[in-house]
Amino acid sequence: MANASAGKVRAVFGQADAQKQSRTNFSIKRQTGFGVIALFCFFLLYLPIATLVVYSFNAGPSIAIWEGFSWRWYVAAWNNNQIVEASTRSFIIASFAAIVSTIAATMAALATTRTRPYRGLNFIYGFINQPLMVPEIVTGIALLIFFAMVKIWTGYTGLAYLIIAHTAFCIPFAYLPIRARLENMDLTLERAAADLYATPWMAFRRVTLPLLWPGIIAGLMLAFVVSLDDVVITELVKSGGQDTLPTYMLGQLRRVVTPEINAISSVFLLISIVIVTLFFFLNRKRT
């Protein structure tokens, strides 16, 4: 009788161990249909992009009928003065916005991670990341109203408005990787520098900044891509003759669509892929 009871107990515990082991070894990849669904989603996502790139090399003017391989539309885009001006303007705005927003995001990340928890810290997190939560059209309309009043008061209608708008919108994008880098950094070296009588500025310059540098570069590149691709805020804030490349392309789509737009989009895609890839590898780097 005792042996039978012991056997039942072992069987129960054996089943429990087997269930625990199965939960530990659970993998979504082994679920029925997961691979098919994943492939279908990738197909729907990337097939239109692949089609756009392929037809950017179309020899004919149609965006739907293949007429042979040619670099014609890339050459046409390169020689189009409006595209060159819009591209130059986009890179100027994105560069200034990325640099300023990264500096501001770095200071905000240091102020929210290299300090003791205090009342209102969660509110500051939410305040910094608010542009990510608010629909972009709302931010754009608010900036439109505010800058319209400023333009009336000052009479100035230059690119500074676009740079300020892009900077404000890009700060949370630069803040996230910088803050993540700071939170994963070991404080031992900074404390050792303080024990060796280093001033806070010297400890930051010699210890914190070199360790933080990959996160800063990652935030800079992410902010640059976000600014470079922005349409909604730019369309609402810009003055006449201040088209960026995305808004220029949007305007062309309302008229005659040619593979020239495909060529511009393909170049934009390549630039974005390169920058995001660098962002990924830099953000993974740990020291």
Side-chain angles (χ1 to χ4, degrees):
M1 190 72 176
N3 291 336
S5 299
K8 290 180 180 179
V9 171
R10 283 195 296 270
V12 170
F13 279 101
Q15 291 177 358
D17 291 340
Q19 292 175 356
K20 183 179 179 180
Q21 185 69 19
S22 64
R23 288 195 297 268
T24 303
N25 296 332
F26 173 79
S27 175
I28 188 65
K29 297 179 181 178
R30 299 178 182 176
Q31 301 307 302
T32 304
F34 175 81
V36 175
I37 295 173
L39 288 175
F40 180 71
C41 292
F42 277 109
F43 178 79
L44 290 180
L45 179 62
Y46 290 108
L47 180 61
I49 298 176
T51 303
L52 179 146
V53 174
V54 169
Y55 274 90
S56 69
F57 296 100
N58 190 12
S62 174
I63 61 171
I65 301 175
W66 180 257
E67 299 181 30
F69 180 88
S70 174
W71 292 91
R72 166 187 176 185
W73 300 109
Y74 286 90
V75 175
W78 180 263
N79 294 324
N80 189 322
N81 290 332
Q82 289 181 317
I83 294 177
V84 172
E85 291 177 4
S87 301
T88 303
R89 192 175 295 113
S90 293
F91 278 96
I92 290 173
I93 294 171
S95 298
F96 276 102
I99 292 171
V100 177
S101 64
T102 302
I103 293 173
T106 301
M107 293 189 291
L110 288 168
T112 54
T113 57
R114 288 300 187 266
T115 183
R116 294 179 180 178
Y118 54 87
R119 181 174 296 181
L121 184 59
N122 290 331
F123 171 78
I124 293 175
Y125 285 150
F127 183 78
I128 295 173
N129 293 314
Q130 191 65 23
L132 299 176
M133 306 293 113
V134 176
E136 193 173 351
I137 186 67
V138 175
T139 304
I141 293 174
L143 290 171
L144 169 65
I145 296 171
F146 177 75
F147 286 142
M149 293 188 296
V150 175
K151 289 177 183 178
I152 293 174
W153 295 337
T154 63
Y156 175 74
T157 58
L159 283 181
Y161 299 111
L162 280 175
I163 293 174
I164 294 171
H166 281 225
T167 299
F169 183 68
C170 289
I171 286 175
F173 291 96
Y175 172 79
L176 291 177
I178 296 172
R179 176 190 168 192
R181 178 71 179 178
L182 279 170
E183 289 180 339
N184 290 327
M185 281 169 51
D186 190 359
L187 292 174
T188 304
L189 294 176
E190 294 174 72
R191 290 170 179 166
D195 290 339
L196 294 172
Y197 304 103
T199 63
W201 168 247
M202 184 179 295
F204 171 77
R205 185 167 60 89
R206 296 290 183 88
V207 179
T208 307
L209 187 59
L211 295 175
L212 183 59
W213 196 245
I216 293 175
I217 297 298
L220 177 72
M221 291 190 295
L222 187 58
F224 182 84
V225 170
V226 170
S227 174
L228 192 66
D229 293 344
D230 184 77
V231 175
V232 176
I233 291 178
T234 305
E235 188 70 27
L236 291 171
V237 173
K238 71 182 181 68
S239 302
Q242 293 182 353
D243 271 326
T244 60
L245 193 53
T247 59
Y248 170 81
M249 293 169 61
L250 181 64
Q252 290 298 110
L253 290 174
R254 297 169 181 167
R255 304 182 185 96
V256 179
V257 181
T258 67
E260 186 178 22
I261 297 298
N262 294 1
I264 301 170
S265 301
S266 298
V267 173
F268 243 60
L269 176 65
L270 178 61
I271 294 172
S272 299
I273 289 174
V274 170
I275 294 177
V276 171
T277 302
L278 290 174
F279 161 76
F280 173 75
F281 284 109
L282 283 173
N283 207 37
R284 280 182 56 189
K285 184 178 179 183
R286 294 290 183 268
T287 56

